[in-house]
Amino acid sequence: MAEEFIMTQKGYDEAVERLKYLQTEKKKEITERIKVARGFGDLSENAEYDAAKNEEALNESEIRELENMIKNAKIMEESTDNSKVHFGNTVTVYDYDMDETVTYTLMGSTEADLEKNIISIDSPFGAALVGARVGEKVTVHAPNGFDYQVEIKEIR
């Protein structure tokens, strides 16, 4: 069975738009760069040609990845139930080891972005939070074998 990619409708729509861009505009840009680079002569020592071909390969790889993601997408609605942590909730936790309070949003792995504090529900941290209620202490089992506790402070 193919891997499911859990995402919001917004994340799905963004993936579809990105795929369209890569298949049309980006592909045309790369094709033009290859055409121009071929005009420079000997392809064996042509850095522009090599760079364009590498970019073409990366573009095709991303296209295949997005096609697979879209084909196997499972659209989930963001939860409005704030009684316990669900997909789509924004959760504020107190980390005892770091002695800090941080707010995260739980999404699917395709929408996770640590720089924006958006974490995947499939990650060890996200999975540990799912189902917890305000005031509960949750133990996170990190992949490196290090366990730590956080306390749920707010769910919205």
Side-chain angles (χ1 to χ4, degrees), residues 50-65:
D50 289 342
K53 289 301 281 183
N54 285 339
E55 187 176 0
E56 180 182 48
L58 289 172
N59 190 57
E60 290 302 318
S61 177
E62 188 175 353
I63 286 171
R64 285 190 302 278
E65 193 176 301

Side-chain angles (χ1 to χ4, degrees), residues 107-120:
M107 295 296 206
S109 59
T110 59
E111 296 171 88
D113 184 344
L114 287 178
E115 290 180 10
K116 297 178 182 174
N117 284 0
I118 300 172
I119 59 171
S120 169

